[in-house]
Structure formats: C-alpha cells, structure tokens
Amino acid sequence: MDSERILTQLRVDGYDIVGSYQDADVVVVNTCGFIDSAVAESLDTIGEALKENGQVIVTGCLGVHPEVIREQHPNVLAITGPQQYESVVAAVHKHVPIPEINPHLDLIPRSVTETGIKLTPRHYAYLKISEGCNHKCSFCIIPSMRGKLKSRNIADVMQEAQRLAAAGVKELLVIAQDTSAYGVDTKYETGEWLGTEYKTKFEDLCVALGRLGIWARLHYVYPYPHVDKVIHLMAEGKILPYLDIPLQHGSPSVLKRMKRPAAAVNTLERIKKWREICPEITIRSTFIVGFPGETDEEFQELLDFLEEAQLDRVGCFQYSPIEGATSNALENHVPDDVKEARWHKFMQTQQVISTAKLKEKIGTTQKVLVDEILEDVIIARSEADAPEIDGLVKIDPNPDVKVGEFYDVLIDEADEYDLYGKIVT
Ligand code: SF4
C-alpha cells in the first residue's frame, strides 16, 4: 500500500513511472523487514538496483535499520522508514527535480502494459489516513515496527483526496491499520476543508469524502459502536456501502488469545444492525485458521459464525508465526496438516455462502467502474468489489466503453467469485 501511495503521489507531482532500470532517473526500493528471508531479498533488490541504475532511494520497513542497509550498500542516495512517505517523495524531489508541468492538467493515464509494471490504474487510488496502531494483537508486529497510531490531520487528508479526484481518480480506497480509530491520537483535532471545519475523526472523514462525488471505500474498520453512524452515510449514498472488517476469528476464546480490538462486542449483533440500516451493504472480512491452541470446538465456532454472519466476501489465511510476535509463545501450536484441513473446510463453507449471495444479483442492474478492456471481455467492478481482493464484473465487449468510467450493467450470470452482464447505459 505504501508503494501505491508513493507512486500515486509521484504521478500527481508529474513524474513518469517506467518499467526498466535503464529508463529511470532514480529507483525507489520499498523494502520489507518482517522476516529474515524478506530482509535478504530486500538487500538483494537494492544491490540489483544499484548495479543496474546506480541512483537508489530505499524506503519501507527495513529503513528502520539504516545500518544494515549501509553496511552492504553504502552508496544508496537516501534511506527512509516505513512511516516516512513524505520523506521518500522529498528524496525523489531532491535527486530528480519536479517536472515543470501542471500535474493536474498533464497527468497521463499509464496502463499496466504501457509501463510494464503493476501500478494502481489512474482511476483508483489509496488514501492512507494514519500510520501505526495502538492495539497489541498477539500475531502482529506492526505496532513494534511502525509505532503507535499517528493520524494525519483531516485537512491534509482531504486536500490529498481532492487533488486525486481532480486528477481523474474515481475511487478512493481509505486505508490505515485501524481506520475506525482515526484521529484518536490527535484528540480529534479540527481542520478546515472547503470552508467547513471537520474533526480528525472517522465519521467526519466519511462526511467530507461524501462531498467529493466519487466512490470512497473503507478498509480495515473494526466493529465499534461508532461505526454505525458511518453506515447511515452509506444508506444515504454518500460513501460506498462496503465495509472491510478484518474479524480474524469467530470464537470469543480465540479472539481473546489473539488480543483483538473490539473482541468483546457482539459482532453478529453489529452486523445485523448494519444490515438493518443499509440493506445493500457488502461486508468483507479476513480470518485466520489454526491459531495456536485452536481446538476442534473453537474451529466449529468459527464455522458457525460464518454460517450466521453470511458475509459477502471472505479471505482466509493459515496461521504462521512471525518473528517477534507474542503468539509464538502460546501453547499447543496447530500441526500444519490440521491447519490445511481446516482452511479447506472454511473455504468450502464460505464458497457456498458467497455463491448464493452472488446468484441473488442475477437480474439486477449494478453500477460498475471499468478497470480494463481486453479483446473479448471488459473487466469492471461493482460497488461490492474492491480492486485486487474481491470479484469482478465481466462484461460483453462494447466499443463505446472507456476505462475509468462508470456504467450500468444488467447481470445475467454469476459463479463463485464473479458476475457477468451487459451494459445497459
Ligand atoms: S489492529 Fe492488530 S493486526 Fe491490525 S495492525 Fe494493529 S496490532 Fe496489528
């Protein structure tokens, strides 16, 4: 996500993103320092970039250990850490001055094929509202790597959102480690945007985003009671009726061992309430199976939770230990074959639910945003589909359709993941 944000900002600043070392004035390497193999891979990548290009800026998690990088690669131009997105952009500015163009007028859409590397297409962008996290989930080392929650002022966030919208972005993906905690660290300080005073607060952010008139999609929200207010905004069509809530498990005892935020609230009740407020809401979540100590009964509780919650989109990971995570010290680690078997059972259970939910959409008309036009099919997404992680709407070819535009599509078919249809307007 940091890469997406850095790239988006650099493109807004007027830089071209190119697909080869030879064509680049400078190379930015975004590193990972979570596990030893990632450190070695990051150092190799820096070495390759230095050999092929010579002008290298390093950012990301490994940037918190500049000595490790400098020991092997003393010639890098700059090293910035994981929260220092502004610093990496500033380092690029220093070594390659901002092109003398008006970025809002001259921003040219560059597709994956044009650049040869994978970028966020110009019509959607990630909007990072805070860094770090105040929680202590036992399987996670983000707080120790990225520090405590640090929210950007709402005026700053909304100016960026407005700039992106002016540059042609049609969908903003709001991200943070815990989006619903936005502003707690600033004591909800105020900021002014378009002549209105807003608090640096989750609800105010959603109200302000609703004024942009483009899609705003919320990721990494926790099921706190104050989220209800935002669901009202979804029902009013101000922001997308879509919530990505990483629930991780459905058993209270496992959630307790995981030390999950909002584990005590009755999540099923919350979900029911959200659906009452906004019946068309899409709820996506991720889960972990095989967490240390997970018994057959606790796993069954998770399956029962899935059956009852009837979530629209679900991802599932098998637990794997990360160096430095406190969950490593828990007893009764689950054997790999049991994890694998539970993962399959989980996926089968959810697949039946997802397939039935998608089938209900046959015969409806869905607003879609077109991502890509291929020879024999148009790839789009509906309000229910976040890029990269959810399904697609596949549309019959139509010569009038353009990438990055909205259309209404009549759905005539569905499978386990995707919808199929024809453009009606
Ligand atoms: S909420 Fe938990 S899992 Fe998410 S970043 Fe914070 S500590 Fe990690």
Side-chain angles (χ1 to χ4, degrees):
M1 299 301 178
D2 283 344
S3 296
E4 306 284 14
R5 183 143 186 255
I6 292 164
L7 290 172
T8 302
Q9 184 58 48
L10 290 175
R11 276 188 294 161
V12 168
D13 288 345
Y15 291 94
D16 279 345
I17 313 296
V18 295
S20 74
Y21 288 123
Q22 286 68 36
D23 294 335
D25 293 319
V26 70
V27 179
V28 177
V29 179
N30 193 6
T31 60
C32 180
F34 273 123
I35 46 175
D36 291 349
S37 61
V39 173
E41 201 179 305
S42 295
L43 290 170
D44 282 355
T45 307
I46 297 165
E48 182 186 299
L50 279 168
K51 188 166 149 257
E52 299 291 331
N53 182 286
Q55 301 288 98
V56 177
I57 293 168
V58 180
T59 187
C61 295
L62 194 56
V64 293
H65 300 296
E67 67 291 349
V68 175
I69 301 168
R70 292 241 181 249
E71 193 186 315
Q72 273 202 32
H73 303 298
N75 296 331
V76 294
L77 297 175
I79 299 173
T80 65
Q83 303 165 16
Q84 297 161 346
Y85 136 83
E86 286 83 2
S87 312
V88 70
V89 172
V92 173
H93 290 174
K94 186 171 162 205
H95 294 283
V96 186
I98 295 187
E100 283 185 20
I101 54 169
N102 178 333
H104 292 161
L105 295 179
D106 292 308
L107 203 73
I108 299 158
R110 297 194 173 268
S111 70
V112 174
T113 41
E114 272 177 306
T115 59
I117 55 169
K118 194 173 174 323
L119 296 178
T120 314
R122 180 184 178 234
H123 58 272
Y124 67 83
Y126 293 90
L127 184 67
K128 196 163 195 174
I129 57 171
S130 61
E131 264 295 354
C133 179
N134 287 348
H135 302 297
K136 292 194 174 78
C137 301
S138 56
F139 54 83
C140 177
I141 57 166
I142 284 177
S144 63
M145 293 195 83
R146 303 206 159 196
K148 290 227 170 254
L149 178 73
K150 217 164 148 261
S151 303
R152 298 169 62 197
N153 184 277
I154 189 146
D156 179 31
V157 171
M158 286 311 302
Q159 275 153 21
E160 181 181 347
Q162 194 182 353
R163 254 196 334 265
L164 289 166
V169 165
K170 301 281 175 54
E171 177 180 7
L172 289 171
L173 304 143
V174 179
I175 54 165
Q177 310 297 346
D178 175 0
T179 298
S180 35
Y182 176 57
V184 174
D185 54 309
T186 70
K187 302 204 169 48
Y188 306 123
E189 70 181 4
T190 55
E192 196 184 309
W193 178 67
L194 293 185
T196 306
E197 193 164 273
Y198 293 95
K199 286 185 182 146
T200 298
K201 197 174 185 185
F202 181 51
E203 298 98 290
D204 280 31
L205 173 72
C206 294
V207 170
L209 288 170
R211 287 179 68 185
L212 289 173
I214 57 174
W215 280 5
R217 195 183 290 284
L218 303 179
H219 289 280
Y220 314 120
V221 174
Y222 287 94
Y224 298 115
H226 73 273
V227 173
D228 293 2
K229 293 188 190 151
V230 167
I231 311 294
H232 283 284
L233 295 171
M234 294 180 182
E236 291 162 23
K238 298 278 179 10
I239 55 171
L240 282 185
Y242 180 100
L243 256 199
D244 176 9
I245 352 166
L247 295 169
Q248 309 299 14
H249 214 280
S251 155
S253 45
V254 176
L255 287 168
K256 206 163 160 211
R257 290 204 295 283
M258 287 178 164
K259 297 200 167 59
R260 290 294 289 162
V265 299
N266 188 333
T267 308
L268 287 170
E269 279 302 309
R270 282 249 92 68
I271 291 174
K272 202 166 146 227
K273 176 132 193 241
W274 291 343
R275 288 191 172 128
E276 276 163 20
I277 301 169
C278 180
E280 64 274 24
I281 191 170
T282 296
I283 302 177
R284 139 169 279 276
S285 190
T286 46
F287 293 86
I288 296 173
V289 292
F291 188 76
E294 185 186 65
T295 61
D296 286 342
E297 291 72 28
E298 286 170 335
F299 178 62
Q300 186 56 48
E301 277 182 89
L302 171 59
L303 294 181
D304 293 346
F305 178 91
L306 269 192
E307 292 283 4
E308 188 148 0
Q310 294 285 307
L311 303 172
D312 301 84
R313 310 281 192 185
V314 165
C316 181
F317 303 94
Q318 295 177 33
Y319 174 80
S320 74
I322 293 173
E323 203 188 314
T326 56
S327 55
N328 296 344
L330 291 171
E331 288 175 355
N332 300 323
H333 279 242
V334 177
D336 284 350
D337 58 336
V338 177
K339 278 190 218 167
E340 177 84 13
R342 287 182 183 167
W343 184 84
H344 282 289
K345 180 88 188 131
F346 178 103
M347 293 309 281
Q348 278 161 10
T349 307
Q350 179 57 33
Q351 210 172 66
V352 174
I353 297 168
S354 307
T355 309
K357 291 217 148 222
L358 285 182
K359 257 207 171 112
E360 284 170 14
K361 298 195 176 175
I362 295 176
T364 64
T365 300
Q366 301 287 329
K367 184 174 179 181
V368 304
L369 180 57
V370 171
D371 277 343
E372 207 181 348
I373 299 174
L374 303 175
E375 210 173 298
D376 53 350
V377 65
I378 297 167
I379 306 292
R381 287 175 296 105
S382 73
E383 295 186 341
D385 313 308
E388 318 276 336
I389 50 175
D390 291 331
L392 302 169
V393 181
K394 296 181 177 169
I395 309 165
D396 294 348
N398 183 321
D400 301 327
V401 169
K402 293 193 181 72
V403 168
E405 297 293 332
F406 292 110
Y407 298 92
D408 284 337
V409 169
L410 178 65
I411 305 300
D412 52 26
E413 213 187 311
D415 59 24
E416 317 93 284
Y417 303 108
D418 300 327
L419 296 173
Y420 301 80
K422 290 179 188 58
I423 296 208
V424 288
T425 55

